[in-house]
Amino acid sequence: MTALPRKALPLAFALALASGAAQADAYPNDTEGFHGYMRASAGSSSRHGPLSCYALGGPTAYYRLGNECDSNAEFGYTKELAKADNGVSFVGTLWVNAYAPASDFRGAKLELLKGYVEAKGLPFLNGGTAWVGKRYYYRPDIHMLDMQYINMNGTGGGLDKIPLGAGKFSYAVFKDNDTNATGAGGAIVNTPSALRQNLLYQDLPVNPGGTIDAALTIVTAGGRNRSAGAPVQGQGDHGHDGWAIGLFHHQKVLGGTNMAGFQYGSGPGTGIGVCCVRMGPAGSTALGSDVTRVRLLEDLVIQPTRRFSMEFAAVYQKDKADDVALRNTWTTLGVRPVYALLPNLKLQGELGVSALKQESTGQTARLTKLTLAPAISLGESYWSRPELRLFVSYGKWNGAATPLVNASNNGGPVYGNATSGTSAGLQVEAWW
C-alpha cells in the first residue's frame, strides 16, 4: 500500500480555506420532544468469525461506513417544566443510553447521559441561557470518521449563547474525572480530578456565508495541595494543569457545508487519556507541558444536486512529548460519495487512507478501508436518516499496522498475521 502523498493534505487544507468550510449539525438539539440515536451491525468476515472492523486505534479515528462493530442506542426527552411570567422558560432534559462493544448489545446497561435544566431567554443575559447538570456540550464531529474533534460534555453549569458583538459568547465550568483513590485508613493517595473551564465565541461573521467559532479550554488539576504547592501524598507526578484552543471556520458551499479547523493543546488540554481523540475535556493530569497536540482539520459535505452528495475529510495531527511512546503523527484522507437511485434507495461508498507514524517503533502503520453500501433511506439528502444498509468492506494494511488492527478490532485478532481482510453485513443508523 502506498503512503499518503506528502502534498495532499496541505492542498486539501488550502482548497478548504479558499472555498470555505462548515459542517451542518446533523443531529437534533435538545428541543421539546423525544429524540435519540441508534446504530447496530451484524455480519461476518472472510475468516468466518465475528464481524471485523478496520482501524489503527490509539490517537486515530476510523472510517465508519460498514466499519462499526459496536452497538449504541441513546434516547431521551426534553420538556418545558415551567414558564415565568416574564417569558423565561425552564426546560429539563433526561437521556439514557445502552452501549456494547459487540454487535448484539450483549451486556449493555442503561446509563444516564444527560440530566440538566436550562433557564432560557433570561432578560439580564440579553436573551441568553443558564444551565446546570450533566449534558452534551459543543461536540461537533466529522461524521464519516465518527470523530468529535472537540467535545465539552460533562457535569457542571454555565451561560449559553449570550449575544456579544457580532457573535455569541458561552462560558461553562465542569468537574472532570471527579474521583479519589484511597489507601490505608482511607487516606487519599491519588486523584485524577480536574476543574475545566470552557469559553466559546460562536457564529462570528467573517465573509459572505462564512462564520468562525473560537474555543478555549482551561484545565486546573485537582491532584495537588494548592495551599502548599505540593503533590497529594502518593500522587507522584500527577497534578498538571493544561489548556487548549480551537478555531473553526464554517462556510456554506455547493448546497452543503464545510469546516476548516485548527487545534492546539498542552498537557491535559490535549485530551490524551480520554476517548476517541477528543479535545475539549480534561485529559490525563499526569501529562505535563512537554506533551502537546496540534491538529488541522477539513470536513466538506456537499449536495450539489438533489440525488448526489459527498463528504470529504482530511486530518493532520502531531503529538509531541518527552516520552517517546506519546510521539505520534497521524494523517488521513477519506471520501464518501452518495447517489440516490430512487427517493428511498441510495448507493454509497467510502474510501479512507490513514497513516500513523510512531516514534516509539520508528515505523509508519498504514491502512486503507474501502466500503460499498446500498441503503434504504428516509430520503435523498446526505443527512437523511434512518438508513438500513447492506455493506461489504475491504481493509488492507502493512506489517507495521498488523498489531494495531488486531488490537483495535472488537472481534479480536481475527486476521492474525494477515495484511488484508473482507467483512460484510447489515447496518442501521438512525437519529430523530
Side-chain angles (χ1 to χ4, degrees):
M1 190 176 77
T2 59
L4 284 172
R6 290 186 178 182
K7 296 182 179 180
L9 281 172
L11 177 60
F13 295 128
L15 289 173
L17 290 170
S19 66
Q23 170 151 350
D25 184 3
Y27 306 103
N29 295 318
D30 288 339
T31 54
E32 184 92 6
F34 176 68
H35 300 293
Y37 170 84
M38 185 186 74
R39 71 166 181 262
S41 303
S44 188
S45 70
S46 52
R47 292 298 177 94
H48 309 293
L51 178 63
S52 61
C53 290
Y54 312 103
L56 295 177
T60 76
Y62 64 99
Y63 289 90
R64 66 190 299 189
L65 184 67
N67 195 40
E68 293 183 300
C69 292
D70 57 359
S71 304
N72 186 41
E74 52 188 60
F75 48 90
Y77 200 82
T78 296
K79 175 68 176 176
E80 184 178 67
L81 306 177
K83 196 164 190 175
D85 292 340
N86 63 353
V88 175
S89 177
F90 288 80
V91 178
T93 296
L94 285 173
W95 276 48
V96 296
N97 85 314
Y99 174 84
S103 63
D104 62 357
F105 285 97
R106 182 175 62 253
K109 296 180 180 179
L110 283 179
E111 295 184 349
L112 183 70
L113 284 182
K114 308 179 191 179
Y116 69 103
V117 174
E118 302 167 277
K120 295 185 174 183
L122 292 164
F124 60 86
L125 293 180
N126 199 17
T129 297
W131 65 274
V132 175
K134 179 178 181 178
R135 66 174 298 183
Y136 287 168
Y137 193 77
Y138 194 70
R139 49 173 217 150
D141 74 333
I142 296 177
H143 176 73
M144 66 188 295
L145 288 170
D146 195 23
M147 178 184 174
Q148 295 172 10
Y149 50 89
I150 187 167
N151 179 310
M152 297 179 175
N153 297 356
T155 300
L159 308 175
D160 271 3
K161 297 184 177 178
I162 302 170
L164 181 64
K168 296 178 181 178
F169 174 75
S170 300
Y171 171 80
V173 60
F174 299 88
K175 194 67 183 295
D176 290 343
N177 310 317
D178 201 19
T179 58
N180 285 322
T182 57
I188 296 174
V189 297
N190 191 10
T191 177
S193 68
L195 183 72
R196 167 169 52 102
Q197 299 177 77
N198 289 123
L199 295 90
L200 295 170
Y201 191 61
Q202 297 173 261
D203 305 329
L204 176 66
V206 291
N207 63 282
T211 62
I212 279 184
D213 288 356
L216 171 65
T217 293
I218 302 171
V219 178
T220 305
R224 61 176 176 267
N225 185 330
R226 289 276 164 185
S227 62
V232 173
Q233 182 181 1
Q235 180 73 10
D237 196 33
H238 289 61
H240 295 285
D241 300 339
W243 59 275
I245 58 171
L247 292 173
F248 311 101
H249 180 256
H250 303 270
Q251 181 73 43
K252 296 178 181 178
V253 57
L254 294 177
T257 55
N258 188 71
M259 181 279 299
F262 166 80
Q263 293 175 277
Y264 182 87
S266 173
T270 59
I272 295 172
V274 298
C275 173
C276 317
V277 295
R278 295 172 179 171
M279 296 178 71
S284 171
T285 56
L287 304 177
S289 59
D290 64 294
V291 182
T292 61
R293 168 171 285 174
V294 62
R295 183 190 285 163
L296 299 174
L297 306 129
E298 145 67 8
D299 183 29
L300 172 68
V301 181
I302 60 172
Q303 184 100 29
T305 72
R306 178 171 57 87
R307 292 191 173 187
F308 177 73
S309 58
M310 184 188 74
E311 182 172 7
F312 168 81
V315 180
Y316 169 85
Q317 176 180 288
K318 189 173 186 65
D319 295 338
K320 294 183 178 180
D322 290 342
D323 184 352
V324 69
L326 295 177
R327 296 181 207 160
N328 302 288
T329 302
W330 170 47
T331 52
T332 191
L333 287 168
V335 63
R336 185 195 290 190
V338 181
Y339 186 78
L341 300 170
L342 298 169
N344 302 109
L345 182 63
K346 292 178 179 176
L347 181 62
Q348 52 192 324
E350 186 177 83
L351 174 64
V353 182
S354 301
L356 178 63
K357 181 180 179 181
Q358 299 176 294
E359 293 196 22
S360 59
T361 64
Q363 296 181 311
T364 299
R366 299 186 177 92
L367 167 66
T368 297
K369 195 276 292 185
L370 173 66
T371 296
L372 296 177
I376 297 172
S377 178
L378 175 68
E380 297 165 315
S381 164
Y382 184 87
W383 297 114
S384 291
R385 301 294 188 276
E387 278 192 357
L388 309 178
R389 303 165 181 157
L390 172 67
F391 69 86
V392 177
S393 294
Y394 173 74
K396 183 173 178 59
W397 54 92
N398 65 356
T402 297
L404 305 181
V405 172
N406 284 333
S408 63
N409 190 356
N410 291 8
V414 297
Y415 293 111
N417 293 323
T419 56
S420 66
T422 303
S423 61
L426 304 170
Q427 184 181 47
V428 60
E429 182 178 48
W431 56 70
W432 61 93

